[in-house]
Amino acid sequence: MTARNTGDDQHQDGRATLEQLVRWRRDVRRFRTDPVPDDLVERLLRLADLAPSVGNSQPWRIVNVRSRDVRSAIVRNFEAVRGKSAEVYAGEQAELYYRLKLAGFDAAPVHLAVFCDRNALQGHGLGRQTMPETLDHSCACMVTVLWLAAREAGLGLGWVSIIDPAEVSKALDVPPDWKLVGYLLIGWPEEEHLDPELQRHGWQPRTPFEARYSVAGSVPPAVETKAAAKADSVSGSVVLVGAGPGDPELLTIKALKALQSADAVLFDDLVAKPILDFVRPGARMIDVGKRGYRKSCKQPDINAMMVSLAREGLKVVRLKSGDPLIFGRAGEEIEACRDAGVPISVIPGVTSAQGAAASLKVSLTNRDHARRLQFITAHDRRGHLPSDIDWSAVADGAATTVIYMPKRTLAELTEVALVHGLDPKTPTIAVANATRPDERVFVSTVGAIATELEAAHPDGPVLVMVGEALRYATVRDAAEQAEAVLAALQVLPGQP
């Protein structure tokens, strides 16, 4: 069973699509030391052994290098060859060469040496009389299949080529007719990226597809000047679109038009699924959700993907829950596009504070109780409570404070706010899944809201609103809401 759109989204059963595997295939040089089960390694190798080969020759020969002594010899060989290779570079490029991590010998738990048997009898020589190098090509096909299979299993693969083939063959004592194709390192990646490491560290950016494609009789494929000109041109664009807090009817007309004309949509995990139904059929759907405190897509990868897709000439929509400019990391994405010369625009959306206030029918800026409305985030880049919050502003009884992303640090935040003078009986409302069918409202006080929210443990995005203006909030069941407010504030009917 597959998802609605073809592209980088996952299958509905959780498996990655082919396009996703290709985009995440990246050469890995930073591994965790966790072992890879032998049965998993064997399964991957058996899958790779099904790779196509010219004349069904299957010329690859794979040696699993488990001996520590042999590994050490190969590492010494790598270091020696790497030093000689550096001699061809000068200046800044030489310095960068030495800074690059070009191998992962120290941590990768699986080492495989791949050879091509130049005298393979399998296939009876079909296709080799005119192009004997097809044996090497067939081995490369096998490695690619292994690469994709490893990625599908969550593993990373590094292909080491800075190595002396003769020394590796000698260390492994293989037949003289075996030619080294590559030394492969496999393991659990320490980190995952969508862009090539050499591009990320400034060695060489990827060039556009057009630099490697031509039609017979037109532009020769090897004209580097024209390819370079193509590399500097950008025919696509990026637009940051606010999806609102969840109710699809809160989308702006401009946002709707952008979704219906998009070639690719990079959407956050918090974007309500009904909103995705408005995307043009056939557009690439790419889930880049940054899931709090869980393994997720990193911001530099999202930036790189936006730029890459735009350089393919696509209309790219970066779809964000709420408003892109309110705690949505829009600044980093705008800067990445500007630095790459990619045209970028922003379509604002209804932020979750506005959606929640509308559901509660409360004015966050009630002039009798609030002279200021302030939005704060409850966690920093590390997921901790920010150390630079202006606590005097939070404790101001004449302000309405909306706290974004508070689940993990709300208890700490409210405790510090109370220490700085915030009245513990200040009306406080938490809203989970604002404007959505499963919206949940928790009416309390600032002194008790953290405990109540922890006990309820609501799913989905949550925000917390604090301030006297909230005393007049209403929800769908007015009677139930009134009782909750009275109970939370310990006020009896008839009292002023």
Side-chain angles (χ1 to χ4, degrees):
M1 183 183 298
T2 58
R4 174 177 59 86
N5 287 326
T6 59
D8 270 324
D9 55 335
Q10 289 187 327
H11 290 291
Q12 290 181 356
D13 61 6
R15 294 180 294 111
T17 64
L18 175 61
E19 183 173 351
Q20 187 178 51
L21 289 176
V22 171
R23 288 187 179 276
W24 283 65
R25 176 209 55 78
R26 300 303 174 203
D27 198 28
V28 174
R29 297 178 177 87
R30 304 170 196 276
F31 299 93
R32 303 201 312 265
T33 56
D34 309 55
V36 179
D38 290 341
D39 58 344
L40 176 56
V41 174
E42 182 177 353
R43 181 175 74 84
L44 299 179
L45 291 175
R46 288 184 177 277
L47 280 174
D49 194 57
L50 299 175
S53 58
V54 174
N56 196 25
S57 55
Q58 298 174 270
W60 48 82
R61 306 291 181 261
I62 306 170
V63 179
N64 194 332
V65 184
R66 293 177 174 174
S67 166
R68 289 185 178 275
D69 291 340
V70 175
R71 287 189 181 188
S72 296
I74 292 175
V75 170
R76 289 193 298 270
N77 171 246
F78 164 78
E79 294 294 348
V81 174
R82 184 174 185 238
K84 292 181 180 179
S85 299
E87 296 174 0
V88 303
Y89 303 112
E92 293 183 1
Q93 197 169 29
E95 295 177 7
L96 179 56
Y97 177 87
Y98 279 113
R99 290 200 304 270
L100 291 171
K101 185 176 179 61
L102 296 175
F105 293 111
D106 51 343
V110 180
H111 291 216
L112 302 174
V114 176
F115 296 88
C116 177
D117 185 354
R118 305 307 297 272
N119 288 324
L121 298 178
Q122 173 78 9
H124 306 295
L126 180 63
R128 281 180 262 168
Q129 289 83 1
T130 53
M131 297 180 66
E133 64 273 16
T134 54
L135 288 176
D136 294 335
H137 301 168
S138 297
C139 291
C141 286
M142 184 280 296
V143 173
T144 299
V145 173
L146 177 61
W147 218 326
L148 294 174
R151 183 69 199 96
E152 194 272 340
L155 292 163
L157 184 149
W159 188 335
V160 181
S161 58
I162 303 176
I163 206 162
D164 186 337
E167 291 298 321
V168 175
S169 297
K170 180 180 177 182
L172 295 175
D173 192 25
V174 300
D177 294 330
W178 288 16
K179 173 188 175 183
L180 183 69
V181 174
Y183 194 86
L184 309 182
L185 305 173
I186 297 178
W188 307 106
E190 189 176 87
E191 54 187 14
E192 295 183 339
H193 295 277
L194 293 173
D195 57 329
E197 183 166 330
L198 295 182
Q199 174 176 308
R200 191 164 60 256
H201 293 285
W203 181 260
Q204 173 66 55
R206 287 187 64 84
T207 54
F209 166 75
E210 290 79 8
R212 293 173 296 279
Y213 174 79
S214 66
V215 177
S218 57
V219 182
V223 180
E224 292 191 7
T225 55
K226 293 186 178 181
K230 286 276 189 180
D232 293 332
S233 65
V234 177
S235 55
S237 62
V238 173
V239 55
L240 307 186
V241 175
D247 184 350
E249 294 186 354
L250 293 179
L251 278 174
T252 65
I253 295 176
K254 195 169 185 179
L256 185 61
K257 289 180 178 179
L259 294 177
Q260 293 178 343
S261 63
D263 297 313
V265 177
L266 285 66
F267 61 94
D268 278 349
D269 192 52
L270 295 180
V271 172
K273 296 303 180 281
I275 291 174
L276 301 180
D277 291 335
F278 290 108
V279 176
R280 178 182 67 81
R284 299 185 191 179
M285 298 294 293
I286 308 170
D287 184 351
V288 295
K290 295 182 288 295
R291 303 162 181 85
Y293 313 103
R294 290 180 287 161
K295 183 177 178 180
S296 58
C297 198
K298 294 179 175 60
Q299 187 62 51
D301 292 332
I302 298 173
N303 297 345
M305 181 176 285
M306 288 191 308
V307 170
S308 176
L309 292 171
R311 282 178 168 165
E312 291 179 22
L314 305 181
K315 295 179 181 178
V316 182
V317 166
R318 175 70 175 98
L319 188 62
K320 294 171 172 286
S321 177
D323 183 281
L325 304 176
I326 305 295
F327 300 123
R329 301 189 183 183
E332 298 170 50
E333 295 174 352
I334 292 171
E335 181 179 5
C337 289
R338 284 177 173 170
D339 289 345
V342 172
I344 184 168
S345 57
V346 181
I347 298 176
V350 174
T351 188
S352 54
Q354 295 171 310
S359 292
L360 295 166
K361 302 178 182 65
V362 61
S363 170
L364 298 178
T365 57
N366 186 306
R367 63 181 181 176
D368 292 329
H369 298 282
R371 64 167 176 262
R372 183 174 71 255
L373 171 63
Q374 55 193 7
F375 295 166
I376 66 172
T377 177
H379 67 73
D380 58 18
R381 286 178 178 268
R382 301 171 300 162
H384 301 159
L385 183 68
S387 60
D388 55 356
I389 292 177
D390 184 350
W391 293 108
S392 62
V394 176
D396 184 0
T400 301
T401 303
V402 181
I403 307 167
Y404 281 70
M405 298 166 285
K407 280 186 175 180
R408 190 73 171 266
T409 62
L410 184 60
E412 182 183 2
L413 187 153
T414 54
E415 181 180 353
V416 177
L418 294 176
V419 169
H420 282 78
L422 183 61
D423 186 345
K425 292 186 178 182
T426 303
T428 301
I429 300 178
V431 181
N433 299 310
T435 78
R436 306 185 189 198
D438 57 347
E439 177 184 283
R440 297 180 66 185
V441 177
F442 303 86
V443 179
S444 185
T445 63
V446 74
I449 188 63
T451 301
E452 295 182 19
L453 203 60
E454 176 64 24
H457 197 64
D459 292 327
V462 174
L463 82 160
V464 173
M465 300 182 289
V466 181
E468 286 296 326
L470 301 175
R471 189 183 298 272
Y472 305 98
T474 59
V475 289
R476 293 166 185 148
D477 189 333
E480 180 182 338
Q481 173 68 9
E483 291 176 5
V485 172
L486 292 175
L489 300 178
Q490 297 179 346
V491 176
L492 296 176
Q495 288 187 342

